[in-house]
Amino acid sequence: MEKQKIVADASIVAKWFLEEEFSDKARQLRDSFVTGKIGVSVPSLLFYETLNALWHSGLFSEKELCLAAKALTKYGFDAWEPKGKILEQAATVSSKHGVSVYDASYVALALHLKAVLLTADSELLRKFPQNTQHISTYNFQ
């Protein structure tokens, strides 16, 4: 049986490092991922967006941000580079739905993989109800 694959955005992965609403659910996702129960795919910009969110929180020193960066690279995400059809689809999604190209890249990857995008971003949840799911409603097996 093939394990379930999801796309996670930076609003979820940042919660692995921050104590925020739904951090507990995000960490459940992390635990399911690191134990091999699910696969997590991400556009490569997730690494920058997550570190940016941690930096903007004001809670991390330079050394701690570097440790977070190291941790992010060790998780072993199925990371997708911005190229070809996925990048074109991100441009289309952005233009048609009025979301940033950054956010559209997560949606485009989820569409490409026929996977659900787990997010805490209310705009993505509202604009893409067929392709997104709030982390609080994700059913952990």
Side-chain angles (χ1 to χ4, degrees):
M1 184 173 150
E2 191 174 324
K3 65 181 162 187
Q4 182 182 11
K5 182 166 275 197
I6 60 98
V7 174
D9 71 3
S11 72
I12 298 306
V13 176
K15 291 179 185 311
W16 297 2
F17 300 89
L18 296 168
E19 195 54 52
E20 301 177 330
E21 187 174 26
F22 308 117
S23 288
D24 57 333
K25 293 293 279 185
R27 290 183 189 124
Q28 272 186 285
L29 171 72
R30 177 200 60 202
D31 294 348
S32 292
F33 171 51
V34 299
T35 59
K37 293 178 183 165
I38 61 169
V40 176
S41 296
V42 299
S44 61
L45 69 94
L46 170 116
F47 301 98
Y48 298 105
E49 283 199 312
T50 300
L51 285 176
N52 193 53
L54 300 182
W55 177 76
H56 272 285
S57 76
L59 301 173
F60 293 78
S61 67
E62 177 184 346
K63 183 177 181 179
E64 291 167 329
L65 279 174
C66 289
L67 288 172
K70 191 174 188 176
L72 283 170
T73 61
K74 289 186 175 190
Y75 274 115
F77 295 106
D78 176 27
W80 289 70
E81 293 300 319
K83 59 185 175 185
K85 294 286 184 197
I86 296 173
L87 187 58
E88 292 171 28
Q89 190 160 28
T92 298
V93 166
S94 176
S95 295
K96 283 187 176 177
H97 298 279
V99 296
S100 73
V101 174
Y102 305 119
D103 286 346
S105 69
Y106 294 99
V107 175
L109 182 57
L111 289 169
H112 177 76
L113 296 174
K114 296 177 178 58
V116 67
L117 167 58
L118 287 181
T119 186
D121 185 315
S122 58
E123 180 181 26
L124 290 178
L125 291 161
R126 187 179 77 255
K127 291 187 176 185
F128 304 98
Q130 301 301 314
N131 310 99
T132 59
Q133 187 175 347
H134 194 278
I135 186 66
S136 67
T137 64
Y138 183 71
N139 184 19
F140 296 90
Q141 315 287 337

